[in-house]
Amino acid sequence: MAIQIFGTNKNFDVKKAERWFAERRIQVQKVDLKEKGISKGELESVISLLSKKAGSRDAALELIVDKKSKDYASFAYLDDSDKFEKILENPMLLVQPVVRNGKEAATVGYEPDTWKNWN
């Protein structure tokens, strides 16, 4: 299992996710969104995985964005074709943590019920 956690060090849900995986002795790779952001390929992969659950790419984009973020107003009124680029520019718009299990599954937010089914 190749688990990646995208988030910041100050986010409580990110800390809880790291603790959840550590308690189960599952190694994770942490990607700090403030330092490194999220690459285009990683974001594309997460959106693709989430669109299976959400039903469409646009629904996945809405699912992955934190509506409580101070920068959400700059995102909300963008054309759908510009939203992907805006997330790449400002990864702090993402709901944290974004947890990816290789190319098989991804979640946004703290979702231990989903993670326990990952093998």
Side-chain angles (χ1 to χ4, degrees):
M1 220 179 341
I3 305 291
Q4 286 183 302
I5 298 177
F6 297 89
T8 60
N9 292 327
K10 292 186 177 184
N11 184 286
F12 290 113
D13 284 341
V14 172
K15 290 178 184 178
K16 285 185 348 187
E18 288 176 315
R19 190 176 323 113
W20 190 90
F21 285 105
E23 287 171 354
R24 285 147 187 83
R25 292 183 171 85
I26 299 171
Q27 289 193 339
V28 299
Q29 175 193 9
K30 171 126 186 286
V31 179
D32 191 323
L33 289 175
K34 277 192 176 177
E35 280 183 30
K36 297 185 179 179
I38 188 167
S39 75
K40 187 174 185 175
E42 291 166 335
L43 182 59
E44 195 66 61
S45 173
V46 168
I47 289 172
S48 172
L49 292 167
L50 290 174
S51 65
K52 294 175 187 175
K53 189 181 350 178
S56 72
R57 181 181 168 83
D58 293 338
L61 276 169
E62 289 300 321
L63 183 69
I64 202 169
V65 173
D66 185 1
K67 292 170 179 56
K68 297 176 195 160
S69 169
K70 63 179 180 167
D71 297 326
Y72 180 71
S74 67
F75 176 86
Y77 300 105
L78 288 175
D79 186 50
D80 287 343
S81 60
D82 297 329
K83 288 182 177 181
F84 183 83
E85 292 299 322
K86 184 66 174 181
I87 294 170
L88 283 177
E89 286 173 23
N90 186 0
M92 299 312 294
L93 282 166
L94 295 171
V95 172
Q96 295 181 45
V98 174
V99 182
R100 184 172 73 158
N101 181 3
K103 297 199 182 288
E104 298 170 23
T107 61
V108 290
Y110 183 72
E111 291 193 33
D113 292 337
T114 302
W115 303 332
K116 69 182 176 187
N117 296 321
W118 290 356
N119 291 330

